[in-house]
RNA sequence: CGGGACGUGGCGCAGCCCGGUAGCGCACCUGAAUGGGGUUCAGGGGGUCGCGGGUUCAAAUCCCGCCGUCCCGACCA
């Protein structure tokens, strides 16, 4: 993509399409540091809008933001056996600083459970201190060999919620609540339908009792884990001595949860809604929701048209619409259209001399379709248009997911599906690690989740798709990112 | 870490086999005309040819070494 011509179509090479769509929209760029990317203003604006929306949801559910150190003493990570086993291979460690060897190496956080719960131990004395509901927005580092813009990079941005509760039921309630908040955000803001459920023992977070996940289906029919929420049980509490005095006067360990979503969501958004022209932003998260392109020939027309465009923009801004006007000279309207389409702007308003005379603007949806909107009452009409685009994106994505979901698949069908077109496959599962491993070996597909009730098939499968033993739960398989 | 390809203006490439001092498209800058789906013409700026060594009168081109990137196989939001 050197000349601004079309990008690789999704159907011919999805990975190439993804990279080109991201680059064309100027969301990110490769950096001089291996495995690390630069998030450019367009991409960061998208992330900021995601952050703001999520942050509001976290605050509304009683969480408060805090910030913990980037560096974690190596010994902290070691205290929880499963946790260190899970992360040790991926950590970057500082051994030298200030011109000399450190007494104790400092791990650059791959996640912050250890240092946060070490602090919780100081802050929590009594059941009256519970629940403690904390969130932090931060960067983390996980050394990766194979990286993809937004989807997997060595350093990424995320939020990690960390909470402490007096009993298991309250922790479980919290973990499920946050999963629900993630789901709501993904559907209502990102227009991305997800399947929620619990991870199998083999797929859960290192150190967790249970891990819940939101799984989206991308346009190449591969699954993307978009957000996770963990009930950590008392594992970390015991490792870090997070104890409290109960109502009855006994000492007990707290129950923790942690939950996170990352800049990976930007990648998810691209792969959910993008088309062969480039990315498509759902209006609620679009940094620019509407762009006004004025069209003129003569100077007289230019003055008239710009006047109408400027007035419209002011009214739209007043109505809370994020709108820009593209009055650049020396560029044809068509060239502007392509540029804004590549950025995924959901609505374009064309205002030319004919429109000004007719008292209207031509509105073109990024998702297709043009219509004339009267300049009188334009803001209200634009808001309606944006809502329609938002709704349409979710509907299209949901229909696509349903079209690539199969239920009650048998062994041969599972293999054929995963080796072929991909998608979500629902089937019975005995719960055995051997079957899970064998299926992964044979099909490269993993159990994404044991779906929550509302996603399960009307009649529960009786037998395991692989070994034929009685099924313990319905599982959903897919090849994943 | 094992297998394959590639490093030449900002991006994409040609030139290399058969050595002679670097070219094309896009992008960028200036000017004019254009302007309802990538506008045209004219002019212009920009390159230690990944790095180091060797062969040669002469190296992007041949030889040796190194570095880096990308694609494919084991772990991960």
């Amino acid at each position: 993509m050197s000349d601004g011509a079309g990008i690789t179509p999704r159907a011919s090479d999805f990975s190439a399409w993804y990279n080109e769509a991201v680059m064309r929209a100027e969301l990110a760029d490769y950096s001089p540091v291996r495995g690390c990317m630069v998030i450019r203003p367009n991409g960061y604006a998208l992330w900021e809008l995601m952050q703001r929306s999520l942050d509001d949801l976290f605050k509304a559910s009683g969480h408060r933001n805090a910030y913990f150190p980037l560096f974690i003493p190596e010994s902290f990570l070691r205290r929880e056996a499963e946790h260190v086993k899970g992360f040790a291979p991926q950590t970057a460690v500082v051994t030298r600083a200030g011109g000399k060897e450190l007494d104790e190496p400092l791990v650059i956080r791959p996640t912050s459970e250890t240092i946060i719960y070490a602090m919780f131990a100081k802050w929590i004395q009594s059941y009256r201190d519970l629940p403690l509901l904390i969130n932090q927005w931060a960067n983390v580092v996980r050394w990766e060999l194979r990286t993809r813009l937004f989807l997997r990079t060595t350093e990424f941005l995320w939020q990690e919620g960390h909470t402490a509760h007096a009993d298991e039921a309250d922790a479980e309630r919290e973990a499920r609540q946050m999963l629900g908040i993630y789901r709501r955000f993904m559907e209502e803001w990102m227009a991305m339908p997800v399947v929620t459920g619990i991870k199998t023992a083999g797929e859960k977070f290192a150190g967790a009792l249970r891990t819940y996940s939101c799984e989206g289906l991308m346009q190449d029919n591969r699954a993307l884990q978009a957000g996770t929420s963990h009930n950590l049980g008392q594992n970390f509490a015991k490792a870090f001595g997070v104890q409290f005095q109960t109502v009855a006067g006994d000492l007990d360990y707290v129950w923790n949860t942690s939950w996170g979503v990352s800049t990976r969501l930007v990648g998810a958004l691209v792969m959910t809604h993008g088309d062969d022209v480039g990315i498509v932003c759902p209006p609620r998260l679009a940094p620019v929701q509407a762009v006004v392109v004025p069209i003129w020939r003569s100077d007289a027309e230019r003055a008239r048209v710009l006047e109408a465009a400027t007035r419209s923009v002011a009214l739209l801004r007043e109505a809370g619409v994020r709108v820009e006007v593209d009055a650049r000279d020396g560029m044809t309207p068509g060239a502007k259209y392509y540029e804004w389409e590549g950025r995924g702007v959901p609505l374009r308003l064309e205002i030319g001399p004919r429109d000004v005379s007719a008292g209207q603007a031509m509105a073109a949806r990024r998702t297709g379709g043009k219509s004339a909107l009267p300049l009188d009452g334009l803001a209200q009409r634009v808001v309606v248009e944006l809502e329609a685009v938002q709704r349409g994106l979710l509907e299209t994505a949901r229909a696509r997911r349903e079209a690539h979901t199969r239920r009650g698949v048998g062994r041969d069908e599972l293999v054929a599906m995963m080796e072929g077109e991909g998608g979500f496959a629902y089937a019975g599962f005995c719960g055995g690690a051997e079957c899970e491993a064998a299926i992964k070996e044979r099909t490269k597909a993993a159990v994404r989740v044991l779906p929550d009730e509302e996603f399960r098939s009307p009649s529960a499968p009786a037998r395991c798709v692989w070994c034929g033993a009685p099924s313990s739960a319905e599982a959903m398989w897919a090849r994943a990112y």
Side-chain angles (χ1 to χ4, degrees), chain A residues 10 14 191-193 216-224 268-274 392-406 422-424:
Chain A
R10 289 161 296 173
F14 193 80
M192 177 175 77
L217 187 64
M218 304 296 103
Q219 291 188 65
D220 59 350
N221 291 326
R222 290 171 70 186
L224 185 81
L269 186 147
V270 171
M271 292 195 293
T272 298
H273 302 305
L393 286 172
L394 179 61
E395 280 164 13
T396 302
R398 184 167 275 143
R400 195 191 78 240
R401 183 188 70 187
E402 292 312 309
H404 296 284
T405 294
R406 299 222 208 136
F424 284 163

Side-chain angles (χ1 to χ4, degrees), chain A residues 183-332:
Chain A
R183 177 189 175 182
R184 188 174 157 219
F185 172 76
M186 290 167 195
E187 294 184 345
E188 294 181 20
W189 276 263
M190 295 178 66
M192 177 175 77
V194 290
V195 173
T196 61
I198 187 168
K199 288 286 189 183
T200 61
E203 299 281 332
K204 73 177 168 64
F205 175 73
L209 204 60
R210 288 186 281 280
T211 291
Y212 301 101
S213 165
C214 295
E215 300 282 330
L217 187 64
M218 304 296 103
Q219 291 188 65
D220 59 350
N221 291 326
R222 290 171 70 186
L224 185 81
Q225 180 172 305
T228 51
S229 179
H230 318 286
N231 182 334
L232 300 173
Q234 294 177 305
N235 293 341
F236 286 92
K238 285 175 180 166
F240 289 90
V242 191
Q243 287 180 297
F244 70 103
Q245 197 161 24
T246 66
V247 183
D250 305 319
L251 269 189
D252 198 0
Y253 290 105
V254 301
W255 293 74
N256 294 112
T257 80
S258 69
W259 27 274
V261 297
S262 70
T263 38
R264 174 179 250 200
L265 289 178
V266 176
L269 186 147
V270 171
M271 292 195 293
T272 298
H273 302 305
D275 62 18
D276 287 346
V277 174
I279 74 163
V280 177
C281 294
R284 291 189 83 176
L285 293 174
V288 177
Q289 295 172 307
V291 60
V292 175
V293 179
I295 297 156
W296 67 80
R297 291 167 199 259
S298 65
D299 283 350
E301 281 179 349
R302 178 189 161 115
R304 265 178 82 212
V305 160
L306 280 183
E307 201 269 317
T310 308
R311 191 153 23 87
S312 301
V313 165
L315 290 171
L316 287 166
R317 290 217 169 113
E318 217 169 288
V321 178
R322 294 186 288 271
V323 61
E324 298 291 336
V325 57
D326 187 350
R328 284 177 293 180
D329 210 341
M331 202 171 171
T332 60

Side-chain angles (χ1 to χ4, degrees), chain A residues 114-126:
Chain A
T114 59
I115 197 156
I116 290 181
Y117 300 139
M119 295 309 296
F120 276 19
K122 292 177 68 173
W123 299 339
I124 296 169
Q125 310 296 329
S126 133

